[in-house]
Amino acid sequence: MLTKLQQQPADKILALMAMYREDPRPTKIDLGVGVYKNAEGITPVMRAVKEAERRLVEEQTSKAYVALAGDPAYSDAMVGLILGTSVDRDRVAAIATPGGTGAVRQAFELIRNTSPEATVWVSNPTWPNHVSILNYLGMKNTAYRYFDAETRGVDFDGMMADLAGAKAGDVVLLHGCCHNPTGANLNLTQWQAVVDLLNDKGLIPMIDIAYQGFGDGLEEDAAATRLVASSVSECLIAGSCSKNFGVYRERTGLLMAVSETADNTGLTQANLNYLNRQNYSFPPDHGARVVTTILTDDGLRADWAAELEDTRLGMLRLREQLASELQRLCGSDRFGFIAQHRGMFSLLGTTPDLVERLRAEHGIYMVSDSRLNIAGLNSTTVPILANAIAEVGI
Ligand code: LMR
């Protein structure tokens, strides 16, 4: 049996992580995988997370199973964080999942179970694992235009024109904020136009929100998701705590399914529970419990939000520093988009050859599509990157 296995396609983000690890050059710079690093190059455990873990160690009396959906207090806290009061709580079914990827996977399986004929529309480009999982599950998927290679902003007209070709019942995968990989995002007027199109054509939105708090602020980054959820009859939302709580390895995510009326929530919840049972039974609990401890304690929540805000502002400063450094070196504003983009990433919009030259000649690692992790930089490495970009002629 095992000898018949085939080689599987490498994930380009994870392959890059391995290459970086093996590079002996002390000056190498990792701008690949989406992990936040502080000025010292460390991915810290956030203060509130440390404190919540300390409390858990002291106070937790059992490690017995919780529930198929995870702890209801976690769902309540996360539904509140992401949706606020935009949707009645009794319309929302939710399960804890192993990270945001787990939520995406469960959402896709739910779609496949209930609408096997639906096509899932994904932005071009999108997080590569979206397409990889859809293909793995044998689900129909197609790309809509998203990134404008000229302006490095959103090709909104192209996006709307492509989505106009979707058929009723198709699913449109949207990034709630901080688009990965491009960093280019819709404004709220554009989101409203997307909502109108979804409703006109009977399309179902699935929102992946993995970077809430990394763009314009916790509330601001949730605004589009709240607008969509409160304006359509049904939607799916995959949330993640990996980045905004820095609990990457704890695998802490959440899938929400919003039904048109509360009458349908019990059935939806039972299906979500069933999906968890089939795939892994009970979802991971530790990260979820840490997050719940933080979100339900005023002091911890305020401290977490403050640290997250410092992180966000630090990334914005790096964006501005890089854009102005490049402006100085190139004598033009053509890299101004870096300061406009939001979230962890910016897509430089250059060729894999030039990305490879950055790696080979300068030890700078970014994904071959030219996605750059801003949070991998610090004020010392920004000028090094800017010089390298200018030197290879991007
Ligand atoms: C990324 O896009 O780099 C992150 O979401 C990590 C991952 O799993 O790919």
Side-chain angles (χ1 to χ4, degrees):
M1 175 186 79
L2 298 179
T3 55
K4 291 195 209 119
L5 287 172
Q6 310 259 315
Q7 244 357 294
Q8 299 301 333
D11 181 293
K12 61 183 176 189
I13 298 172
L14 303 188
L16 194 73
M17 265 172 97
M19 276 175 88
Y20 176 79
R21 259 198 307 268
E22 280 155 26
D23 187 334
R25 287 175 286 186
T27 53
K28 63 187 177 178
I29 301 175
D30 178 14
L31 307 178
V33 69
V35 170
Y36 170 75
K37 293 194 192 123
N38 64 17
E40 288 76 48
I42 289 164
T43 305
V45 180
M46 294 179 85
R47 295 184 301 262
V49 168
K50 266 279 178 228
E51 173 58 19
E53 288 189 313
R54 196 189 58 72
R55 289 187 197 175
L56 275 182
V57 167
E58 276 174 17
E59 293 163 16
Q60 194 167 49
T61 53
S62 175
K63 292 282 188 190
Y65 294 128
V66 180
L68 279 182
D71 181 4
Y74 170 67
S75 291
D76 284 345
M78 286 300 292
V79 170
L81 182 69
I82 296 174
L83 288 178
T85 54
S86 60
V87 174
D88 286 341
R89 179 67 183 89
D90 61 4
R91 286 178 55 206
V92 187
I95 46 170
T97 57
T101 309
V104 166
R105 169 70 186 250
Q106 299 292 57
F108 288 163
E109 290 204 27
L110 190 80
I111 296 163
R112 189 177 62 162
N113 289 350
T114 179
S115 312
E117 286 312 309
T119 295
V120 179
W121 292 72
V122 297
S123 61
N124 181 17
T126 190
W127 182 49
N129 213 21
H130 284 148
V131 180
S132 177
I133 300 175
L134 285 166
N135 289 340
Y136 178 73
L137 292 173
M139 293 173 69
K140 282 192 253 180
N141 61 90
T142 190
Y144 58 85
R145 274 172 281 173
Y146 186 81
F147 189 62
D148 184 330
E150 245 346 273
T151 64
R152 268 76 157 180
V154 178
D155 175 5
F156 187 64
D157 292 342
M159 172 178 177
M160 294 297 276
D162 287 350
L163 290 180
K167 64 177 189 310
D170 280 355
V171 174
V172 182
L173 178 50
L174 299 153
H175 298 222
C177 62
C178 307
H179 186 270
N180 177 9
T182 67
N185 297 288
L186 302 179
N187 62 38
L188 278 178
T189 312
Q190 293 169 324
W191 274 104
Q192 183 60 56
V194 170
V195 164
D196 294 342
L197 183 95
L198 295 169
N199 283 333
D200 286 350
K201 299 205 60 88
L203 309 176
I204 297 163
M206 170 178 160
I207 299 179
D208 187 352
I209 176 159
Y211 295 87
Q212 186 182 354
F214 273 47
D216 291 310
L218 269 173
E219 295 299 305
E220 293 83 347
D221 290 350
T225 304
R226 292 174 187 176
L227 173 71
V228 174
S230 61
S231 314
V232 299
S233 51
E234 294 183 336
C235 72
L236 299 173
I237 301 161
S240 172
C241 302
S242 297
K243 327 278 167 161
N244 52 7
F245 288 85
V247 289
Y248 305 85
R249 66 176 67 165
E250 300 300 348
R251 311 313 296 135
T252 309
L254 181 91
L255 173 63
M256 294 180 256
V258 186
S259 289
E260 183 161 16
T261 66
D263 298 345
N264 199 60
T265 304
L267 177 65
T268 308
Q269 185 66 56
N271 274 268
L272 294 183
N273 295 356
Y274 173 78
L275 274 176
N276 265 3
R277 182 64 169 158
Q278 302 320 302
N279 281 325
Y280 38 76
S281 274
F282 300 90
D285 180 72
H286 179 75
R289 207 156 285 272
V290 166
V291 165
T292 311
T293 305
I294 293 169
L295 291 178
T296 55
D297 179 291
D298 288 347
L300 284 184
R301 187 176 178 129
D303 188 46
W304 164 72
E307 191 171 354
L308 177 60
E309 183 64 1
D310 284 347
T311 302
R312 184 182 80 80
L313 293 174
M315 286 189 293
L316 277 184
R317 277 195 295 274
L318 289 168
R319 285 187 176 283
E320 273 153 22
Q321 192 193 346
L322 181 58
S324 75
E325 198 71 37
L326 283 164
Q327 211 267 354
R328 195 179 58 77
L329 287 170
C330 307
S332 91
D333 281 334
R334 67 197 173 85
F335 289 101
F337 64 87
I338 292 173
Q340 306 306 320
H341 284 170
R342 285 294 178 272
M344 235 182 202
F345 308 115
S346 271
L347 198 71
L348 289 182
T350 190
T351 62
D353 283 356
L354 290 181
V355 172
E356 172 52 23
R357 279 189 57 196
L358 285 178
R359 191 194 66 76
E361 294 167 24
H362 298 273
I364 294 172
Y365 284 71
M366 61 176 84
V367 185
S368 55
D369 61 5
S370 72
R371 185 190 81 169
L372 149 77
N373 175 13
I374 295 289
L377 288 165
N378 59 42
S379 54
T380 315
T381 51
V382 164
I384 299 172
L385 172 65
N387 277 306
I389 287 175
E391 201 174 301
V392 302
I394 289 177

